[in-house]
Amino acid sequence: MTQDTVINVPDLGDFPEVEIIEILVSPGDTVDLETPLLTLESDKASMDLPSPMAGNITELLVSVGDKVSAGTPVMTVSASSGSQSSPSAEPETPVAPAVTGTASSADIQTELLVLGSGPGGYTAAFRAADLGVETVLIEKDPTLGGVCLNVGCIPSKALLHAARVIEEASEMESAGIEFGRPQIHLEDLKNWKNDIVGRLTGGLAALAKKRSVRVIQGTGRFTSANRLTVDDGNHQTDIEFAQAIIAAGSEPTVIPGLPEDRRVMDSTGALSLDDVPERLLIIGGGIIGLEMATVYHGLGSRVTVVEMTDQLMPGTDSDLLRPLARRLKNQCENIFLGTRVSGVSAAADGLTARFEGADAPESDRFDRVLVAVGRRPNANLIGAEHAGVELDEHGFIPVDRQQRTNVEHIFAIGDIVGMPMLAHKATHEGKVAAEVAAGLPSAFDARVIPSVAYTDPEVAWVGLTESEAELQGVAYEKGVFPWAASGRALGLGRPEGLTKLLFDPETRRIIGAGIVGLNAGDLIAQACLAIEMQADAKDISLTVSPHPTLSETVAFAAEAFEGTITDLYLSPKK
C-alpha cells in the first residue's frame, strides 16, 4: 500500500523567504533519497532541496518564480508505507545478515568490515567508528594508507617538491643568485621521502587505535555475501560481517609483452628511487607519466616521453596544457606524440625500445623504462563473485548514490567504482558509505570533483572544461586572466600561467574553471566552492582577495568576464 507524503521547505536559517528558480522533477518521476527536487535562491546563495524519501512524484504544489519559506508545501510523493518520510525521522536499523555475538564458526564477527585502507577505506572505517559502528579494517600491506600514502600521492609530491627546489635554484641565476650544481645524495633523499610517508602512516595507525578500529593485515577475499577470508601468508582468518565497504583500489595497467626486468618500472618502482638513470623512457603522457618526468628531469635524467594520442594529458583543455607542454619540451630530451612502443628488448647495457610513429626513430636505447599508461580496478582480485557483487564490462563495481552495490549490505568506494580515480573522491564516498551503513540518510551529491596534475607548472580544472563544452554543444562564455599581468607571478619568475572561468550565459553562474601555473592545485579550491555554491560572476569578482597573490587571479578572471577588470585592457563588451 502507498501513501502520499507532502514535502515541505525545511528551515532556511536567516532567510525568511526565498525564490524557486528551477524545478528539477515532474509528476511521475521516480526519486531516491537525497535526489535534488528543486533549486531555491536567496540574495546570498542558491541551494537544492533534496528529497527526504524515495518514491514517485505525484503532484507539484509550486511553480518557478514562487516565493516560499520554511514549512511551505512544494510537492507530494507517493511511497510505500515503510519509507522514510523525513530526514529527522529515526533511521531504520540496517538489515544485518550476521549479528555480532551470535554463535558462528568465524574467527571474528563484526558489524562492519572495510576492505582496503587507502584514503577512502580509512576514512570510511574512522567515520563508521565515530558513529558507534564496530569496525574491522583489512589492509594487505604492513602499513595503512594504501597506494596514495605509501607509493602514490604523498611520496610523489615530496619528490616533486625536491625537483622544484632544484629548478628554482637554477632559475635564480638570471636574478644574479647562483648556487652551483646540486649534489644529490640519493639515499638521504629516499630516507627523507620515506620519513614523510612514515609519519603519515604511523599517524593513521594511532587514529585507528584511538577509535578502536581493529586492523588486520593480509589479503582479503570474499567467500560469501557475509564472509571474507584474510590471508597473511602464514594463516587465514575467517571474518563474518553484517555490512561491508569495498575500498580495494586499483593497480597499474600492464603492457603485455614487455620483458620481466627490474629496469622496467611502474609508478611504484619509479618512486622507490633505486637510482637516477642517465636516460629514462616514459611510456604514457598522462598525469602520472608527466609528474615522473618532472621528478626525474629535476634529478638529472634525460627523459623521453611517448604518448599514443596526439596530445599530452589526453582530453585536457589545450589552453591549460600549452604552458606545461612548452616547458616540458625544453626539459625533456624527446616527446613523441602519436607514437606507440611496439616492443622493448633487454640487454646488459640497457633496454632497447622500438617505436611506431611519424616523428619517432625506429628504436633507441634507455637505462630504465617507466610504464605509466593508467590504472585498472582491483575488483577481480577480491572474490567479489562469491559475495554476489556484480562488475561492469570494465571491471568496476557499479554503485548508487549511497555507494551501495547490487548486494544491499555491501558498499563500494574509490577507484574500484569508476572514474575519476582520485583520493579526494574516495574520501567523500567513504564517508557516505559509512554514514549509510550506520543508518544515516546520506548520499554522494557533490556537483563537481577537481583534477590536478602536480607537474611544473601545475594544471588543475574542475567542472566543465572548454573542450568538453564545445564537444557537448553547451553554451558558455569565459573570463581569462593571463598571469603575465600578475605582479605576484612576475615576482616568482613564473608568468606563464593563466586562470580561466566558464560561465552560463543566461544565469551567469560559474560552470567550470581551469588554472595552469604554480600551486594551481591549491588555487582551484576557490572555484570548487564557487561551483558548489552556484556562485555567479559578481559573487566571485566582488569577493575581496588579498594582493598581490596568485589567488586574486580567480577574481580577475571573473572581472574579465564581467567587463569590469582594470588590470587588463579588454575591448568593451557589446
Side-chain angles (χ1 to χ4, degrees):
M1 181 178 178
T2 61
Q3 59 184 11
D4 283 356
T5 299
V6 177
I7 296 178
N8 300 319
V9 175
D11 181 18
L12 299 173
D14 296 334
F15 304 110
E17 192 175 62
V18 295
E19 180 181 352
I20 297 175
I21 61 170
E22 189 175 7
I23 296 178
L24 306 173
V25 294
S26 303
D29 286 354
T30 299
V31 296
D32 295 321
L33 178 69
E34 299 289 325
T35 296
L37 301 176
L38 48 81
T39 303
L40 307 172
E41 185 174 62
S42 69
D43 60 343
K44 299 286 187 182
S46 60
M47 68 197 86
D48 286 342
L49 174 64
S51 176
M53 60 187 293
N56 298 309
I57 304 298
T58 53
E59 183 180 4
L60 299 179
L61 306 178
V62 290
S63 303
V64 172
D66 287 357
K67 300 282 188 177
V68 296
S69 56
T72 301
V74 293
M75 62 187 69
T76 59
V77 177
S78 174
S80 60
S81 58
S83 293
Q84 183 179 339
S85 60
S86 169
S88 61
E90 189 69 25
E92 295 181 9
T93 301
V95 176
V99 181
T100 302
T102 60
S104 170
S105 61
D107 299 307
I108 298 171
Q109 289 181 284
T110 187
E111 294 174 356
L112 178 67
L113 179 143
V114 180
L115 179 60
S117 75
Y122 74 70
T123 297
F126 293 173
R127 178 64 176 140
D130 289 346
L131 293 170
V133 180
E134 179 192 38
T135 304
V136 170
L137 179 60
I138 311 300
E139 172 52 51
K140 64 181 178 62
D141 294 318
T143 55
L144 300 180
V147 168
C148 180
L149 268 68
N150 288 279
V151 292
C153 318
I154 302 306
S156 66
K157 303 313 167 282
L159 294 179
L160 281 162
H161 172 65
R164 180 71 204 125
V165 170
I166 294 171
E167 287 294 310
E168 285 184 337
S170 175
E171 290 164 359
M172 288 305 293
E173 290 183 12
S174 62
I177 302 174
E178 187 171 346
F179 293 93
R181 185 176 180 83
Q183 298 297 311
I184 298 173
H185 304 285
L186 197 60
E187 199 62 32
D188 291 338
L189 180 60
K190 288 170 62 174
N191 290 337
W192 171 76
K193 179 254 302 181
N194 292 339
D195 181 63
I196 293 169
V197 171
R199 289 168 65 182
L200 288 171
T201 56
L204 289 182
L207 290 173
K209 184 177 181 179
K210 192 74 173 176
R211 288 177 162 90
S212 299
V213 172
R214 184 171 182 178
V215 177
I216 299 178
Q217 195 261 317
T219 301
R221 289 181 61 86
F222 289 97
T223 56
S224 74
N226 298 105
R227 291 220 180 188
L228 180 137
T229 297
V230 179
D231 189 339
D232 67 2
N234 294 315
H235 68 276
Q236 295 185 340
T237 303
D238 186 28
I239 304 174
E240 187 174 23
F241 55 85
Q243 300 183 93
I245 298 174
I246 301 172
S250 62
E251 63 181 0
T253 300
V254 177
I255 299 178
L258 294 184
E260 293 187 11
D261 189 294
R262 69 175 189 82
R263 295 169 295 178
V264 178
M265 314 175 291
D266 58 18
S267 58
T268 299
L271 291 170
S272 69
L273 282 185
D274 291 335
D275 58 38
V276 177
E278 181 179 344
R279 299 192 71 210
L280 171 66
L281 171 64
I282 298 179
I283 305 176
I287 290 177
I288 294 175
L290 297 188
E291 288 183 355
M292 289 298 95
T294 301
V295 168
Y296 275 90
H297 164 76
L299 296 178
S301 293
R302 293 154 54 201
V303 178
T304 292
V305 177
V306 173
E307 168 56 44
M308 284 188 64
T309 69
D310 59 1
Q311 75 165 72
L312 297 173
M313 285 168 51
T316 304
D317 188 317
S318 59
D319 287 347
L320 304 181
L321 185 61
R322 195 171 296 115
L324 171 61
R326 188 182 303 120
R327 188 173 177 89
L328 285 172
K329 185 177 180 180
N330 292 329
Q331 293 179 337
C332 293
E333 185 175 25
N334 292 295
I335 296 177
F336 299 127
L337 301 178
T339 301
R340 65 183 294 268
V341 175
S342 58
V344 175
S345 301
D349 63 344
L351 301 164
T352 299
R354 298 181 297 279
F355 303 112
E356 295 179 1
D359 300 322
E362 190 172 303
S363 65
D364 203 350
R365 190 195 68 79
F366 300 91
D367 300 293
R368 280 187 177 268
V369 173
L370 166 60
V371 180
V373 293
R375 300 184 66 84
R376 59 187 181 188
N378 286 330
N380 63 330
L381 304 178
I382 61 173
E385 67 278 9
H386 299 302
V389 174
E390 295 176 353
L391 312 184
D392 68 15
E393 64 273 20
H394 302 294
F396 293 107
I397 299 177
V399 293
D400 62 16
R401 294 177 65 245
Q402 293 188 315
Q403 304 302 134
R404 291 187 191 273
T405 68
N406 62 297
V407 180
E408 186 176 7
H409 64 280
I410 299 179
F411 305 80
I413 61 173
D415 290 3
I416 211 164
V417 304
M419 306 300 282
M421 291 184 171
L422 297 170
H424 43 279
K425 175 179 82 82
T427 58
H428 282 260
E429 291 173 339
K431 286 186 177 180
V432 168
E435 288 165 359
V436 175
L440 300 180
S442 185
F444 189 84
D445 63 351
R447 294 183 186 276
V448 289
I449 300 169
S451 295
V452 182
Y454 295 92
T455 45
D456 183 19
E458 293 182 1
V459 182
W461 63 95
V462 65
L464 198 67
T465 68
E466 190 166 7
S467 302
E468 291 171 339
E470 291 175 352
L471 187 65
Q472 299 171 19
V474 176
Y476 72 93
E477 293 180 10
K478 64 182 178 180
V480 179
F481 185 79
W483 287 17
S486 164
R488 180 62 170 157
L490 289 169
L492 292 168
R494 297 298 298 272
E496 76 274 16
L498 67 84
T499 299
K500 178 197 292 187
L501 304 181
L502 302 188
F503 296 92
D504 184 309
E506 293 187 6
T507 66
R508 304 181 76 80
R509 289 177 178 166
I510 182 172
I511 56 175
I515 304 175
V516 56
L518 286 181
N519 303 324
D522 297 313
L523 302 176
I524 201 67
Q526 284 191 75
C528 297
L529 180 60
I531 296 173
E532 195 69 36
M533 299 302 294
Q534 295 187 298
D536 62 22
K538 282 187 177 180
D539 292 328
I540 301 170
S541 66
L542 295 179
T543 298
V544 179
S545 300
H547 174 81
T549 60
L550 298 178
S551 62
E552 67 184 337
T553 65
V554 176
F556 287 157
E559 288 183 0
F561 169 76
E562 286 280 285
T564 61
I565 191 166
T566 54
D567 286 66
L568 296 172
Y569 177 76
L570 302 177
S571 299
K573 286 194 171 186
K574 296 181 180 179

